[in-house]
Amino acid sequence: MAAATSSSISFSTKPSSSKSPLPISRFSLPFSLNPNKSSSSSSSRRRGIKSSSLSIYAVLNTTNNVTTTPSPTKPTKTEKFISRFAPDQPRKGADILVEALERQGVETVFAYPGGASMEIHQALTRSSSIRNVLPRHEQGGVFAAEGYARSSGKPGICIATSGPGATNLVSGLADALLDSVPLVAITGQVPRRMIGTDAFQETPIVEVTRSITKHNYLVMDVEDIPRIIEEAFFLATSGRPGPVLVDVPKDIQQQLAIPNWEQAMRLPGYMSRMPKPPEDSHLEQIVRLISESKKPVLYVGGGCLNSSDELGRFVELTGIPVASTLMGLGSYPCDDELSLHMLGMHGTVYANYAVEHSDLLLAFGVRFDDRVTGKLEAFASRAKIVHIDIDSAEIGKNKTPHVSVCGDVKLALQGMNKVLENRAEELKLDFGVWRNELNVQKQKFPLSFKTFGEAIPPQYAIQLLDELTDGKAIISTGVGQHQMWAAQFYKYKKPRQWLSSGGLGAMGFGLPAAIGASVANPDAIVVDIDGDGSFIMNVQELATIRVEQLPVKILLLNNQHLGMVMQWEDRFYKANRAHTYLGDPAQEDEIFPNMLQFASACGIPAARVTKKADLREAIQTMLDTPGPYLLDVICPHQEHVLPMIPSGGTFNDVITEGDGRTKY
């Protein structure tokens, strides 16, 4: 997925090549220009593991490379930072680290202390501007940092100790990389002299996270901290956003030093690969393809979240219907008449119909994920494909486009909008016949569900929540059936309302992500729509919600099963239950575990609802109650997420009927 670049990037004003930049792996990293410096990126000092960074030092350190690469410009400071230390006053490395965070504008961190990170926490207590929201598990901390970043657009910061503290961040880092979330993770490490000795709570976290971070650092010189932190934030937020890890040995945290805040960033390789602004000729070519098409469709993803205004204007000028990926929900209002809602495995029939029958697919800020495309050869097989993305590695990776632009979607949309405005009379775009064809599909195959007696359809619960919040809540989810229903039945109106683990599909994401969203948006309604399986994976974060007095609402769709796996069992394994029942087999008539008691243990009001007739009042009570609230909604386990295109299938394989009450 593409994303808008950081405002701190300065693009060259020289005309760019007519070709997109050569594909660079998303794991291509910037490296230090000085191999003699003791700080290391992706250090090779652990357990004799040879670092890939060392093998290319000779190439990166040639005179030509150094002299011809543009140096990055520092972000402009709007106001002078006032340090609590005198300029020539020595202070601990941990204090330098915390001040570096302050200078980046950090106001909140999600940090859990341990032996190797104690110095950082002590320094945090001396900061008057940074608030630590204490999670009850490091995974809760990294997911909360993600929720903060996803809902605000600002980088999320999490801090953990060495060893198991650091490894508990792994799922969150992988999640942030796959979903392009700006994240800076700081870990404590054993003292430098003990690295590689199997010291207590030592883990080579730089090696562990090499392939699941955009970049990482092992700090080996206290004087490098200001530069490394500035680089970490720049890398995390520029280009295609992602997670950056900074590993800081304890003796570095304790060492006294006088910081140099004027150090320049050293990212020549990274800066040389930054995309240039899109060429006018490419944008005019795309507009020409639009004017020649009869059945165009927009396929927009998470890369459009920072470009919703420009996307809205583009749709206004062209009248092209919009299908969104799971990550792109909210980039275009779901309740608009030109919205086709979500496409893909559990997307609407009419969105998938539009792609199947289109003659032009405008793929903006997307990566042609398998959950969208199904069988690649059959996906949009009738269409010319235009792919715009900021990550050159994504262009042509899964589907070869007819026209590609490697660049910022926001800039591309601005450029195309200008062309469309200037040529409106000449172009006279009219796709009314195509829209009418799609409206027939909307009427024929609406998103729907069935009701059985007094049982509560989970889709109805989300529909009611949408109605009672006027579609304005920030929604986080775990992973599974409830996640797909939340994507289908809540009508997102703006970007950053929808927070969900898309690429990684990490259960346990919803509750801590809601914490981060509530911290970043204290005046917003924040609701974690969760399943009983996902919820219990990070249930300990109820304590954080209570202590921090966060008004997080939890709509728990409780069907006592691992719902999505159970659905596949029903469809493809003759309903043979293979450890997907989450209740107590000895007491199947009882709800187990009792989620209300988890809430009670943390002093959070909670209620259970079992009948459809009582649901509206129960949700309204949840929303009206000040502070946090848990509503345990008991749902039948036989419900299936529909529509469904089986994995590797095509539009012709779409399933629109049936549930767990039927034998297959």
Side-chain angles (χ1 to χ4, degrees):
M1 287 156 288
T5 53
S6 167
S7 59
S8 58
I9 302 171
S10 61
F11 287 107
S12 168
T13 55
K14 295 177 183 178
S16 59
S17 164
S18 60
K19 296 181 180 179
S20 294
L22 290 173
I24 302 292
S25 167
R26 63 185 304 183
F27 302 120
S28 296
L29 304 175
F31 297 98
S32 170
L33 285 178
N34 188 352
N36 299 317
K37 257 296 201 183
S38 54
S39 283
S40 166
S41 304
S42 302
S43 171
S44 62
R45 293 176 174 83
R46 311 231 185 139
R47 298 185 178 275
I49 299 173
K50 184 177 180 181
S51 169
S52 60
S53 62
L54 297 181
S55 63
I56 63 170
Y57 266 134
V59 176
L60 288 174
N61 290 328
T62 61
T63 305
N64 287 341
N65 193 288
V66 174
T67 55
T68 60
T69 305
S71 59
T73 56
K74 283 198 168 195
T76 51
K77 310 289 185 190
T78 53
E79 53 187 63
K80 188 175 181 181
F81 180 85
I82 301 174
S83 174
R84 61 183 177 277
F85 296 96
D88 58 351
Q89 180 183 355
R91 75 291 306 260
K92 287 185 173 183
D95 287 299
I96 297 172
L97 175 65
V98 169
E99 183 170 326
L101 295 177
E102 292 172 341
R103 286 171 178 266
Q104 291 296 327
V106 173
E107 297 174 342
T108 305
V109 298
F110 302 88
Y112 197 89
S117 63
M118 284 178 64
E119 291 285 353
I120 299 172
H121 282 262
Q122 290 295 312
L124 283 170
T125 66
R126 296 188 281 272
S127 172
S128 59
S129 59
I130 296 181
R131 167 192 182 187
N132 180 34
V133 176
L134 178 67
R136 267 40 181 190
H137 189 288
E138 290 92 352
Q139 186 182 93
V142 67
F143 283 161
E146 276 201 84
Y148 182 95
R150 289 172 187 253
S151 64
S152 68
K154 298 186 289 186
I157 319 300
C158 60
I159 303 174
T161 191
S162 63
T167 56
N168 280 339
L169 301 180
V170 164
S171 292
L173 294 172
D175 188 59
L177 186 74
L178 282 167
D179 287 354
S180 305
V181 178
L183 203 70
V184 175
I186 298 168
T187 52
Q189 183 54 275
V190 300
R192 286 173 293 179
R193 67 184 180 281
M194 299 172 69
I195 291 175
T197 67
D198 292 332
F200 176 67
Q201 290 193 334
E202 182 196 357
T203 302
I205 198 62
V206 162
E207 302 298 338
V208 169
T209 62
R210 185 192 303 281
S211 62
I212 56 169
T213 51
K214 188 175 179 183
H215 190 42
N216 55 25
Y217 294 89
L218 173 62
V219 181
M220 295 298 281
D221 187 332
V222 69
E223 293 180 2
D224 288 338
I225 291 176
R227 174 183 59 81
I228 285 175
I229 294 301
E230 184 164 15
E231 288 180 8
F233 275 79
F234 184 78
L235 290 167
T237 56
S238 61
R240 179 177 181 173
V244 177
L245 181 133
V246 180
D247 197 26
V248 190
K250 189 168 183 177
D251 59 325
I252 293 284
Q253 299 171 35
Q254 295 170 327
Q255 186 176 342
L256 293 176
I258 298 173
N260 174 12
W261 299 111
E262 301 306 316
Q263 298 179 58
M265 293 190 295
R266 296 208 297 265
L267 302 172
Y270 180 79
M271 294 302 296
S272 69
R273 294 194 299 269
M274 292 299 294
K276 305 295 188 292
E279 282 195 2
D280 290 345
S281 59
H282 286 163
L283 303 183
E284 287 169 359
Q285 184 182 5
I286 295 170
V287 171
R288 180 177 59 77
L289 288 174
I290 293 171
S291 68
E292 292 171 354
S293 69
K294 303 294 182 186
K295 298 182 175 184
V297 64
L298 273 158
Y299 157 36
V300 301
C304 291
L305 290 177
N306 289 342
S307 315
S308 59
D309 291 342
E310 291 80 5
L311 177 63
R313 178 60 178 156
F314 181 82
V315 175
E316 182 184 341
L317 290 167
T318 61
I320 298 174
V322 184
S324 171
T325 68
L326 182 75
M327 290 301 301
L329 289 173
S331 55
Y332 188 78
C334 294
D335 57 355
D336 189 88
E337 63 178 359
L338 286 176
S339 172
L340 300 173
H341 214 72
M342 187 172 71
L343 80 165
M345 177 178 281
H346 292 296
T348 61
V349 171
Y350 40 90
N352 289 320
Y353 175 96
V355 173
E356 173 75 7
H357 292 86
S358 67
D359 60 6
L360 179 65
L361 184 69
L362 301 171
F364 294 172
V366 297
R367 58 189 181 92
F368 290 89
D369 177 69
D370 62 286
R371 282 295 193 262
V372 167
T373 64
K375 186 178 181 181
L376 265 172
E377 302 78 36
F379 182 75
S381 58
R382 298 176 173 89
K384 291 180 180 177
I385 295 175
V386 173
H387 192 185
I388 303 178
D389 200 278
I390 205 163
D391 186 354
S392 59
E394 293 297 346
I395 294 175
K397 184 179 81 174
N398 293 329
K399 194 81 175 173
T400 304
H402 296 77
V403 177
S404 66
V405 175
C406 181
D408 189 338
V409 170
K410 191 181 189 79
L411 297 178
L413 283 168
Q414 288 172 351
M416 286 187 289
N417 288 345
K418 193 174 294 184
V419 174
L420 289 164
E421 287 165 352
N422 292 338
R423 297 177 57 191
E425 289 300 316
E426 172 194 341
L427 293 171
K428 294 181 179 177
L429 300 175
D430 182 7
F431 303 113
V433 174
W434 171 230
R435 291 196 298 271
N436 290 337
E437 182 180 338
L438 296 179
N439 286 335
V440 171
Q441 295 298 311
K442 283 186 177 184
Q443 297 295 324
K444 195 174 177 181
F445 297 104
L447 286 172
S448 61
F449 55 88
K450 295 177 182 177
T451 301
F452 295 88
E454 293 184 325
I456 300 173
Q459 304 95 322
Y460 176 66
I462 295 165
Q463 217 173 50
L464 269 184
L465 180 69
D466 178 52
E467 177 190 332
L468 295 174
T469 58
D470 192 27
K472 294 178 179 177
I474 294 174
I475 303 295
S476 69
T477 73
V479 170
Q481 287 181 315
H482 70 275
Q483 176 192 29
M484 294 297 103
W485 286 319
Q488 291 176 336
F489 287 91
Y490 199 94
K491 302 295 183 267
Y492 304 93
K493 297 179 179 179
K494 294 182 179 179
R496 307 199 178 281
Q497 273 188 273
W498 164 250
L499 319 175
S500 197
S501 174
L504 191 67
M507 292 177 66
F509 177 85
L511 189 62
I515 290 174
S518 186
V519 170
N521 305 271
D523 298 325
I525 300 170
V526 178
V527 183
D528 170 29
I529 299 177
D530 227 329
D532 47 312
S534 278
F535 176 70
I536 206 168
M537 285 196 172
N538 272 314
V539 70
Q540 77 283 342
E541 298 308 325
L542 288 174
T544 305
I545 288 172
R546 176 73 279 166
V547 170
E548 297 290 338
Q549 300 180 8
L550 300 173
V552 171
K553 313 298 183 184
I554 302 152
L555 186 70
L556 186 59
L557 303 180
N558 190 345
N559 65 3
Q560 297 282 281
H561 286 74
L562 198 58
M564 188 60 84
V565 183
M566 178 195 64
Q567 176 171 329
W568 282 53
E569 287 175 341
D570 286 342
R571 294 281 177 176
F572 310 118
Y573 295 90
K574 299 180 180 178
N576 180 47
R577 294 287 174 260
H579 320 118
T580 48
Y581 177 61
L582 301 179
D584 182 357
Q587 302 180 63
E588 291 193 11
D589 293 337
E590 300 292 325
I591 302 298
F592 178 87
N594 188 338
M595 302 297 186
L596 305 184
Q597 291 183 2
F598 284 133
S600 177
C602 294
I604 293 176
R608 176 176 293 157
V609 59
T610 60
K611 296 180 180 179
K612 184 182 178 186
D614 300 331
L615 184 60
R616 178 181 291 271
E617 183 181 352
I619 293 178
Q620 190 63 62
T621 299
M622 174 185 77
L623 295 171
D624 291 343
T625 301
Y629 193 97
L630 186 149
L631 182 61
D632 192 17
V633 182
I634 308 304
C635 304
H637 70 271
Q638 296 94 337
E639 292 296 323
H640 283 186
V641 179
L642 297 174
M644 177 183 180
I645 297 176
S647 182
T650 70
F651 174 71
N652 295 326
D653 302 316
V654 65
I655 299 167
T656 58
E657 293 291 335
D659 55 26
R661 301 171 182 88
T662 309
K663 298 294 182 185
Y664 299 98

